[in-house]
Amino acid sequence: MRKIPLNECTFGEDEIQAAIAVLRSGHLTMGSQCEAFENRFARELGVRNALFVNSGSSANLLAAFALVNPALQGHCPPGGEVIVPAVTWSTTIWPIVQAGLTPVLVDSDPQTFQMDLQQVKAAIGPKTVGICPVHVLGNAVPMIALQALAKQHDLWLIEDTCEALGTRHAGKDVGTFGDIGTFSFYFSHHITTIEGGMVVTDNDELAELMRCLRAHGWTRQMKGRAAMEAKHPEIDPRFLFVNTGFNLRATEINAAFGLKQIEKLRTFNKTRIRNAEFWNKEFATLIQTGYFRPMQPTEGTESTWFGYPIICKDIELRKQLGAHLEKNGIETRPVICGNLARQPAFKMIPHRIVGALKGADEIMDCGLFWGSHPVMNENDLSYVANTVKGFFKA
Ligand SMILES: Cc1ncc(COP(=O)(O)O)c(C=O)c1O
């Protein structure tokens, strides 16, 4: 039977040779390859600073802990609230909790799958310190309106862009609208470094703080290292610790992969877009009949289709269609974690919910997606289309 996995290897001989060259060089821990990848990534997105870390979750962890760090001007007080969409990946929210902040869950629009801005407005209160938009499945949150809202209320804006590298919105790449943007290079994402992530910011103070928190609270990778050393002549400058921290560093092997993959990003994304456009056309009649509808790109967005998500007209149809696809070798997934407020983990997390989260429930109960990866060929696309149409006998 034909298999259509959610994702397949997007790397080849280029990445393998680059990784082998790093292994042969003997220098494996964060060094010149990582720096080159950070510079290349920053140039691709047109941002001042990019920091390579070992996962997208680590990128979110670093962002959250930077915002509460006393060394940051205007840092967030403990218990401050951060508004997040109910439909996202778990590690958008866990780092907020781990940093001592309170997540406030708002609804997601079941047409676009993105956080609902009316609900964000309703969620803003005296304790709000930040908003964390998440560009779900390659689509984009309406960032111009959200930026204005954050500015009006003087809130930090952290964009979780782990599912949307290269998505263009209002003339820019998503992840570059907020104070911080975070990215994931996990195997199934827009580019891969095996595991890996990136944090970007135009705020040099934040970048410097995150360089310190990324590696033990150590000055070693800080740009302003010399000034710190001059302030503490009594301490061996090679081992000067000026803050708390983690070890979230990626390796030179991951960076070597990333340097090859970033050159392919825009081509990969074109294929993801082609895939979705093909299916949108193929399913036009089924969509019109009301059996299901695909995710709608938000206004001004060229979605990069992390997968091809649909909302079925009811739960029963979602179950039956999902089973039919799986039986025919097409791998499917629920729409990431569904409505996270319904996940058992939330029983032990202090949080606030705004509104009834009906859109998030619809996405969880009636939504599913299959892959739209760049290695799919035209036969794969037709196979998926015919399998779906076969289910409806269309
Ligand atoms: C929205 C979102 N945030 C964060 C992450 C975490 O990224 P990673 O798997 O690289 O830790 C993911 C992973 O898929 C994600 O989808």
Side-chain angles (χ1 to χ4, degrees), residues 78-207:
E81 292 183 345
V82 179
I83 300 168
V84 293
V87 175
T88 182
W89 186 248
S90 59
T91 52
T92 302
I93 298 182
W94 301 166
I96 291 168
V97 177
Q98 287 153 344
L101 299 169
T102 304
V104 177
L105 275 66
V106 298
D107 207 2
S108 300
D109 177 345
Q111 305 290 333
T112 64
F113 297 32
Q114 312 305 304
M115 80 197 302
D116 179 334
L117 261 45
Q118 288 313 317
Q119 295 303 310
V120 174
K121 274 187 203 157
I124 294 174
K127 288 192 188 164
T128 313
V129 291
I131 308 174
C132 182
V134 182
H135 304 294
V136 173
L137 292 179
N139 201 356
V141 174
M143 286 309 296
I144 302 294
L146 194 67
Q147 253 182 336
L149 197 62
K151 194 159 181 226
Q152 184 193 343
H153 294 273
D154 195 20
L155 303 174
W156 292 101
L157 201 50
I158 310 138
E159 275 179 276
D160 182 332
T161 319
C162 288
E163 297 181 5
L165 173 58
T167 294
R168 304 283 298 170
H169 173 73
K172 290 213 305 177
D173 279 317
V174 289
T176 64
F177 290 86
D179 297 292
I180 302 178
T182 61
F183 299 84
S184 164
F185 310 132
Y186 182 65
F187 179 73
S188 54
H189 289 231
H190 290 70
I191 63 169
T192 185
T193 59
I194 311 170
E195 294 269 10
M198 195 73 85
V199 183
V200 303
T201 181
D202 282 333
N203 178 328
D204 293 344
E205 186 198 351
L206 262 174

Side-chain angles (χ1 to χ4, degrees), residues 38-112:
E38 290 179 342
N39 291 340
R40 179 67 189 82
F41 193 87
R43 200 168 76 236
E44 187 66 34
L45 267 70
V47 290
R48 286 178 60 82
N49 305 283
L51 280 84
F52 191 26
V53 290
N54 56 14
S55 73
S57 304
S58 296
N60 284 340
L61 194 70
L62 197 51
F65 274 82
L67 292 187
V68 296
N69 196 281
L72 178 72
Q73 282 180 53
H75 69 270
C76 303
E81 292 183 345
V82 179
I83 300 168
V84 293
V87 175
T88 182
W89 186 248
S90 59
T91 52
T92 302
I93 298 182
W94 301 166
I96 291 168
V97 177
Q98 287 153 344
L101 299 169
T102 304
V104 177
L105 275 66
V106 298
D107 207 2
S108 300
D109 177 345
Q111 305 290 333
T112 64

